[in-house]
Structure formats: structure tokens, C-alpha cells
Amino acid sequence: MRARAEDFDRIIGTNLRGVFLCIKHQAGAMLKAGHGGSIVNTSSIGGLVGAAQNSIYAASKFGLAGIIKCVALDYARDGIRVNAIAPGPTRSEMFDRWMPDEQSRGQMAAQMPMNYIADPDDMARSALFLLSDEARWTTGIVLPCDGGRSAA
């Protein structure tokens, strides 16, 4: 592994400790308000299938899946649902830096079972579903939003 310990601390601190703190305060506010609700976090498909040359990031997202499952059980009796979405490649400023030209984007899209790169709206729709009453019986999941990538 070529990663540095500083990279490990930064990525784990952001992707695990950051989520821990957000859930802790969100759930605390929900409990104080006296009613349940829904918390949706953002993970990554890299935390479901792994990622070459990206072990720390993938490990942080695998860890996030564990946090989601455990915290969902911790708060289920309080009526608080805790889930996450796991986006695959999605157009964004970060994606554009990673895939700066249309040729590389087209090659990536061709590798996806649904043959395109997602738009942010695709992720928003999945998150909105998990936040809605339509998902009232859903807690503790990491929903792949990856155009079929994790199924391949």
C-alpha cells in the first residue's frame, strides 16, 4: 500500500468520524423534538465493491456501511430511520476533474451497465425516496445508485 498515514487519518476522519458526529447530533435533535424521522447519508459504490488504488477511501465507505447498519438498529425503536445512498459515477465538479474530457467520460459510461454517467438529480431522487414515508419500513441499508455497476 502506497498511501500515507496522514491520508488515512484525513479520509477516515472525514468519512467516518464526520458521519458519526452528524448522525449523533441529528438523532439527538430528533429525539429532543420527540418524533422520529429519517437520516440519509452519502456513501459510495466504492464501499460496496471496492476500488483499486483507493483502499483507504473504500475502507472508509465500507466502515460507513457498518455505522449505518448499527445506528439504524440503535434508533429503530425511536422511529428514526438511518440509511445511505451509494452513488456510482455522477457528474459533478469533482467528477469533471477526475474525467476532464468527453472521451474519458464516454469510456467510463460504456463500462456502466446502463451506459451513462448519472446526474446529481439521480442521486437526489434516491435520497428523497429514503427520506419519504414511502420508505417508512426501510432502515439500515446502503442503496446502490450506480446504474447496475454493483450487480455486474
Side-chain angles (χ1 to χ4, degrees):
M1 182 180 312
R2 297 180 183 174
R4 301 172 312 163
E6 301 85 38
D7 296 332
F8 181 88
D9 292 342
R10 179 180 49 81
I11 293 168
I12 296 297
T14 300
N15 292 349
L16 287 180
R17 188 170 196 277
V19 168
F20 162 78
L21 291 171
C22 286
I23 292 173
K24 174 182 171 54
H25 293 289
Q26 288 172 317
M30 290 172 159
L31 291 170
K32 187 175 180 180
H35 54 81
S38 179
I39 298 170
V40 176
N41 289 278
T42 302
S43 184
S44 169
I45 198 61
L48 298 176
V49 299
Q53 305 297 317
N54 217 354
S55 61
I56 299 170
Y57 177 79
S60 74
K61 296 303 184 172
F62 275 102
L64 177 60
I67 288 174
I68 296 302
K69 290 176 182 296
C70 294
V71 172
L73 294 173
D74 291 344
Y75 290 109
R77 293 203 185 274
D78 297 305
I80 298 172
R81 296 179 293 110
V82 182
N83 297 293
I85 60 170
T90 305
R91 291 197 180 266
S92 66
E93 286 182 30
M94 186 171 79
F95 179 83
D96 290 345
R97 286 192 304 272
W98 180 45
M99 293 277 161
D101 59 77
E102 284 304 317
Q103 181 179 356
S104 60
R105 293 174 191 163
Q107 290 170 342
M108 176 168 274
Q111 295 173 9
M112 303 304 294
M114 294 184 75
N115 200 36
Y116 74 95
I117 304 301
D119 290 320
D121 283 353
D122 295 318
M123 299 310 120
R125 285 196 233 9
S126 296
L128 286 171
F129 166 72
L130 290 173
L131 288 165
S132 77
D133 287 339
E134 298 297 316
R136 70 183 189 161
W137 191 238
T138 305
T139 194
I141 69 157
V142 178
L143 179 65
C145 303
D146 65 353
R149 167 88 167 59
S150 60

